[in-house]
């Protein structure tokens, strides 16, 4: 099996072994239903969507799985999409797992009150039973008090921790199970047997791989105690990930709206017209639109010699586009195997306009073909044969506007000429030469034998190490800086302090250097291997003196990342600092909003505050630490400033961190002890 396939099934296989250890529990009744071949639907939020526990358990139980988890969803959202995501699957068993988003407070009131939660969950149970299926209620796990949810509102009277707050909802679940005689899998009680820092991811909310395995074995044990399995039943066949690359041109998306997922029903308007999709956000805040095909419908291509072909117009609203790989999809994202298309295009499309968080600003048409290697698709995404698998696309709209994003082409073409790779000659490293040179608390630093630097959190929050330099760089002789960083479970960023030729002290964030001027409120969460032309990004020539570098990491005690290389040097056959697209943007005023601004002020993004990222809470918090982030919720229940890639709990934008000095970094460690 290729590495792509192994990545997808590795956790499944390991959990099957773990679950096998509990399969010898109390025997079910002789007349209990047989599980083999039955359909299991898991209805929930990101704890379901962004985890492998459902796949692990269904494989061990020999059941067909429909994962109906969607990040950011509450019990009300699950009820709204019940017919589409549950009833249509004709289930035999339905896991109902909500609560982690319901209890979140954006002010004085939770998103879903306990009384409304009771009503929603009771209704979900009744609707499952009307289908002739068996409901399985899950209690929600604990939540770390250093999770970002701590900052979004106040606790109700008598509740001292986040877990106290969520346990109010867990009590409701237990009462419903008793009152309606429904199966209950008490995941919250199971959590007490495990260390919270092992059980949860770095955000303090989502399940770690360890937590996912415990979820899987708990569900398997529960089911095997109450239901029978037939050792002679044929095994349920899971779809295989494509590993044979396609030839020629292949679309990465479907132009049939029925093949797309609208996480929040009623927020997106879609029209298919003339072999294009016209997609509008009609919600008050942000909205998403997912192309999450079955795993066997992904498009496998060679990483080398494959171009991504684009023809799209971002018209009335700020938009982000994420491309997912290797079986991971935007709806079920349990791995950071994706790239941000706007950031990938930032160095290839000279006229591209992005906001501070790396979103595409409204009023642009992008038309061209770009090699995957030029877009920065990491080699780590490829299998041993050099192939990558496209497995999904997410559109994230920020701000309502009736003017659509239009997708005309989103495809790949293989067997394109592969230009000779420039040869990089490292002149000098900018990484620290000794641990003693590092200052800053909260991180364990290791200088590896190859000179790379690994950072690992000692405690939760934002931390950084800094080190002084007095290194002179002649930009005419060594004009390139090489960024190669591999985030494992952490998120990277940093400062680059220097004195320019005029003797002025200057500072750049690494994100701005990699992705463009003004793009500061983002973190590096996927592998990056990028060569940057320093005279271009610094806007200077001649000689500079690097005085200090700060490298940051975000997460829990298990969050790690490695700076494989941070150096300056020269490149043979160096590319131009900005490479023009292979096809110019459309010059048709009817399809190019940059040449055809709307005369209707009600839909003109320049006059519509909903299209202005500076006025939209979901565009991220201010980089000024003295400015409190907005507490107005988005329609999805996602905290303003979180990554658009998931629902609850991803790190806040980097701007707030990078606006403070290294001397203040101990605050995060102090907060954990409060």
């Amino acid at each position: 099996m290729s590495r792509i396939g192994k990545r997808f099934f590795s956790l499944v296989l390991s959990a099957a072994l773990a679950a096998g250890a509990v399969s010898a529990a109390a025997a079910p009744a002789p007349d209990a239903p047989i599980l083999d071949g039955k359909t299991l639907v898991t209805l929930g939020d990101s704890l379901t969507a962004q985890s492998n526990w459902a796949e692990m358990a269904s494989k061990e139980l020999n059941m067909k799985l429909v994962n109906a988890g969607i990040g950011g969803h509450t019990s009300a959202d699950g009820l709204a999409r019940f017919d589409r995501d549950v009833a249509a699957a004709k289930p035999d068993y339905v896991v109902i797992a909500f609560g982690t988003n319901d209890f979140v407070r954006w002010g004085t009131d939770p998103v879903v009150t306990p009384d409304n939660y009771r009503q929603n969950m009771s209704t979900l149970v009744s609707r499952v039973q009307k289908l002739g299926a068996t409901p399985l209620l899950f209690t929600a796990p604990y939540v770390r008090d250093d999770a970002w949810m701590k900052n979004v509102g106040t606790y109700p009277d008598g509740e001292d921790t986040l877990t106290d707050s969520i346990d109010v909802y867990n009590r409701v679940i237990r009462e419903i199970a008793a009152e309606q005689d429904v199966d209950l899998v008490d995941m919250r009680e199971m959590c007490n047997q495990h260390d919270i820092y092992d059980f949860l991811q770095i955000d303090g909310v989502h399940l770690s791989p360890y937590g996912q395995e415990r979820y899987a074995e708990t569900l398997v044990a529960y089911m095997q105690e109450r239901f029978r399995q037939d050792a002679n039943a044929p095994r349920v066949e899971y779809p295989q990930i494509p590993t044979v690359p396609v030839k020629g041109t292949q679309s990465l998306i479907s132009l049939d709206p029925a093949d797309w997922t609208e996480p929040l029903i009623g927020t997106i308007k879609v029209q298919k017209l003339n072999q294009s999709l016209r997609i509008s956000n009609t919600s008050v805040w942000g909205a998403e639109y997912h192309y999450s095909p079955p795993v066997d419908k992904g498009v496998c291509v060679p990483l080398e010699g494959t171009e991504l072909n684009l023809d799209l117009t971002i018209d009335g609203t700020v938009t982000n586009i994420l491309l997912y790989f290797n079986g991971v999809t935007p709806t079920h994202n349990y791995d950071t195997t994706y790239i941000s298309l706007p950031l990938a295009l930032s160095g290839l499309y000279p006229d591209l306009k992005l906001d501070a968080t790396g979103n595409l600003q409204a009023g642009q048409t992008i038309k061209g073909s770009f090699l995957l290697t030029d877009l920065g698709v990491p080699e780590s995404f490829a299998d041993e044969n050099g192939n990558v698998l496209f497995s999904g696309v997410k559109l994230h709209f920020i701000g309502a506007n009736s003017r659509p994003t239009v997708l005309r082409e989103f495809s790949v073409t293989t067997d394109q000429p592969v230009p000779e790779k420039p040869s990089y000659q490292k002149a000098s490293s900018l990484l620290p030469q000794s641990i003693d040179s590092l200052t800053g608390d909260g991180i364990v630093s290791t200088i590896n034998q190859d000179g790379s630097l690994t950072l690992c959190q000692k405690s939760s929050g934002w931390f950084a190490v800094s080190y002084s330099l007095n290194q002179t760089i002649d930009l005419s002789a060594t004009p390139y800086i090489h960024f190669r960083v591999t985030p494992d479970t952490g998120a990277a960023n940093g400062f680059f302090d220097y004195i320019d030729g005029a003797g002025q002290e200057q500072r750049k964030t690494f994100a701005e250097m990699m992705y463009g001027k003004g793009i500061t409120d983002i973190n590096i969460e996927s592998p990056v291997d990028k060569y940057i032309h320093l005279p271009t990004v610094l806007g200077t020539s001649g000689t500079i003196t690097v005085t200090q570098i700060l490298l940051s990491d975000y997460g829990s005690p298990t969050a790690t990342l490695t700076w494989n290389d941070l150096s300056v040097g020269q490149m043979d056959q160096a590319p131009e600092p900005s490479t023009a697209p292979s096809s110019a943007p459309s010059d048709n005023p009817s399809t190019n909003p940059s040449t055809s601004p709307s005369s209707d002020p009600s839909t003109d993004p320049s006059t519509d505050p909903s299209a202005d990222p500076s006025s939209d809470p979901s565009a991220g918090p201010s980089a000024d630490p003295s400015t409190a982030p907005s507490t107005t919720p988005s329609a999805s229940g996602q905290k303003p400033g979180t990554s658009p890639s998931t629902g609850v709990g991803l790190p806040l934008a980097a701007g707030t961190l990078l606006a403070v000095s290294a001397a203040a970094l101990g605050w995060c460690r102090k907060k954990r002890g409060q």
Side-chain angles (χ1 to χ4, degrees):
M1 183 183 291
S2 72
R3 194 169 75 191
I4 291 176
K6 288 177 181 178
R7 288 186 65 160
F8 186 73
F9 287 110
S10 60
L11 281 177
V12 173
L13 294 175
S14 65
L17 294 174
V22 298
S23 61
D31 59 346
I34 293 176
L35 295 173
D36 298 82
K38 299 296 177 62
T39 297
L40 172 68
V41 173
T42 53
L43 178 65
D45 51 30
S46 56
L47 298 180
T48 301
Q50 293 173 222
S51 298
N52 264 339
W53 62 260
E55 285 84 354
M56 298 176 192
S58 63
K59 186 174 181 67
E60 177 71 7
L61 296 169
N62 195 29
M63 301 180 75
K64 301 174 184 177
L65 174 68
V66 176
N67 189 331
I70 293 181
H73 273 204
T74 66
S75 57
D77 297 315
L79 195 56
R81 59 185 176 89
F82 183 88
D83 288 339
R84 183 193 73 183
D85 293 348
V86 180
K90 299 180 179 179
D92 298 295
Y93 299 85
V94 180
V95 167
I96 307 173
F98 290 106
T100 304
N101 289 301
D102 295 69
F103 94 98
V104 173
R105 292 169 177 263
W106 298 104
T108 57
D109 296 321
V111 175
V112 177
T113 66
D115 286 344
N116 289 337
Y117 179 73
R118 179 186 298 274
Q119 182 177 354
N120 293 339
M121 296 296 280
S122 295
T123 302
L124 284 168
V125 167
S126 297
R127 294 193 67 178
V128 169
Q129 291 172 331
K130 287 180 180 178
L131 296 175
T134 300
L136 303 164
L137 289 174
F138 275 22
T139 49
Y142 44 31
V143 180
R144 282 205 333 244
D145 266 344
D146 50 4
W148 63 257
M149 288 178 178
K150 177 92 172 183
N151 302 314
V152 303
T154 58
Y155 297 122
D157 293 340
E159 297 170 21
D160 298 324
T161 69
L162 289 170
T163 299
D164 286 340
S165 295
I166 204 168
D167 277 346
V168 172
Y169 293 75
N170 285 329
R171 286 195 292 272
V172 171
I173 286 293
R174 295 186 184 107
E175 290 168 3
I176 291 174
E179 293 166 1
Q180 298 184 228
D181 192 22
V182 176
D183 284 278
L184 172 71
V185 185
D186 201 335
M187 292 299 185
R188 171 68 184 88
E189 181 65 26
M190 178 269 293
C191 288
N192 290 332
Q193 305 171 32
H194 305 280
D195 182 84
I196 195 169
Y197 283 91
D198 293 332
F199 202 85
L200 300 177
Q201 291 183 25
I202 61 175
D203 55 23
V205 179
H206 295 101
L207 304 176
S208 69
Y210 176 84
Q212 294 173 37
E213 290 183 0
R214 304 291 79 76
Y215 251 57
E217 68 186 22
T218 300
L219 177 58
V220 167
Y222 185 92
M223 298 291 277
Q224 289 180 338
E225 287 176 4
R226 287 157 180 79
F227 306 100
R228 291 184 297 152
Q229 289 197 262
D230 181 359
N232 297 317
R235 298 298 300 175
V236 170
E237 293 186 4
Y238 278 70
Q240 297 297 308
I241 294 180
T243 57
V244 178
V246 300
K247 296 289 186 180
T249 298
Q250 176 74 40
S251 180
L252 296 178
I253 61 172
S254 167
L255 294 180
D256 184 352
D259 294 332
W260 290 68
T261 299
E262 182 184 350
L264 292 174
I265 296 174
T267 59
I268 296 291
K269 179 181 178 181
V270 186
Q271 181 183 17
K272 181 181 178 182
L273 183 64
N274 297 330
Q275 294 303 305
S276 68
L277 281 181
R278 303 170 65 84
I279 307 164
S280 302
N281 174 24
T282 62
S283 67
V284 176
W285 299 103
E288 296 180 1
Y289 202 47
H290 298 178
Y291 181 61
S292 294
V295 67
D296 57 336
K297 302 300 182 184
V299 179
C300 182
V301 296
L303 178 59
E304 296 283 344
T306 298
E307 288 184 332
L308 177 65
N309 310 307
L310 303 173
D311 186 355
L312 57 99
T313 295
I314 309 298
D315 199 348
T317 184
V318 176
T319 303
N320 205 327
I321 303 174
L322 301 180
L323 305 182
Y324 291 78
F325 298 83
N326 295 357
V328 175
T329 67
T331 307
H332 302 136
N333 173 24
Y334 49 81
D335 193 1
T336 55
T337 315
Y338 63 85
I339 66 169
S340 166
L341 184 59
L343 296 181
L345 289 170
S346 62
L348 304 177
Y349 207 92
D351 297 326
L352 198 68
K353 297 179 179 63
L354 305 180
D355 66 11
T357 53
N359 301 309
L360 291 163
Q361 295 187 17
Q364 302 183 76
T365 290
I366 302 169
K367 185 175 182 179
S369 297
F370 311 89
L371 286 168
L372 299 185
T373 48
D374 289 345
L375 289 170
V377 177
E379 291 185 5
S380 60
F381 286 7
D383 64 12
E384 62 268 22
N385 298 314
N387 301 323
V388 296
L389 181 84
F390 284 92
S391 54
V393 176
K394 172 189 285 188
L395 304 179
H396 183 260
F397 305 101
I398 304 171
N401 199 296
S402 59
R403 284 159 50 183
T405 290
V406 182
L407 300 184
R408 303 179 192 86
E409 184 174 14
F410 218 103
S411 66
V412 286
T413 302
T414 62
D415 298 324
Q416 298 303 295
V418 179
E420 183 178 349
K421 291 183 178 180
S423 174
Y424 174 71
Q425 290 84 41
K426 179 191 297 187
S428 57
S429 175
L430 300 180
L431 290 172
Q433 302 303 303
S434 69
I435 296 297
D436 294 340
S437 65
L438 301 175
T439 60
D441 197 8
I443 288 181
V444 175
S445 305
T446 303
I447 296 178
N448 305 307
Q449 289 187 349
D450 61 359
S452 62
L453 176 68
T454 296
L455 305 180
C456 181
Q457 296 276 148
K458 289 195 296 185
S459 53
S460 298
W462 271 111
F463 291 93
V465 292
S466 62
Y467 49 99
S468 299
L469 292 172
N470 187 25
Q471 189 161 330
T472 299
I473 300 175
D474 183 352
L475 297 180
S476 62
T478 54
Y480 283 87
I481 185 169
H482 182 208
F483 292 102
R484 185 178 171 220
V485 58
T486 306
D488 183 4
T489 53
N493 217 319
F495 284 137
F496 181 83
D497 292 347
Y498 65 98
I499 299 174
D500 64 18
Q504 300 295 312
E505 294 182 355
Q506 305 286 351
R507 166 169 285 180
K508 290 280 187 180
T509 69
F510 288 152
E512 189 172 20
M513 293 175 71
M514 290 186 198
Y515 302 122
K517 184 177 180 180
I519 304 177
T520 56
D521 291 349
I522 59 173
N523 307 314
I524 303 165
E525 297 179 339
S526 295
V528 170
D529 189 349
K530 197 165 187 177
Y531 299 91
I532 306 295
H533 191 252
L534 274 173
T536 299
V537 299
L538 301 182
T540 187
S541 58
T543 300
I544 64 170
T545 300
V546 183
T547 57
Q548 178 180 256
I549 286 178
L550 179 145
L551 304 174
S552 68
D553 187 15
Y554 171 82
S556 73
T558 60
T560 63
L561 59 88
T562 297
W563 283 92
N564 309 93
D565 191 24
L566 183 63
S567 64
V568 292
Q570 180 60 273
M571 296 184 74
D572 292 339
Q573 302 173 347
E576 294 295 325
S578 293
T579 304
S582 58
S583 299
S586 171
D587 57 3
N588 183 349
S590 64
T591 60
N592 188 352
S594 63
T595 61
S596 179
S598 171
S599 60
D600 181 0
S602 66
T603 58
D604 186 350
S606 65
T607 60
D608 180 6
S610 69
D612 179 3
S614 66
S615 65
D616 181 4
S618 62
S622 168
D624 181 356
S626 65
T627 303
S630 168
T631 57
T632 305
S634 70
S636 65
Q638 177 175 305
K639 181 183 177 187
T642 57
S643 167
S645 61
T646 61
V648 295
L650 280 186
L652 291 175
T656 303
L657 162 72
L658 296 178
V660 300
S661 66
L665 293 170
W667 176 85
C668 294
R669 186 161 61 98
K670 180 180 177 183
K671 287 290 287 185
R672 181 188 168 195
Q674 292 178 348

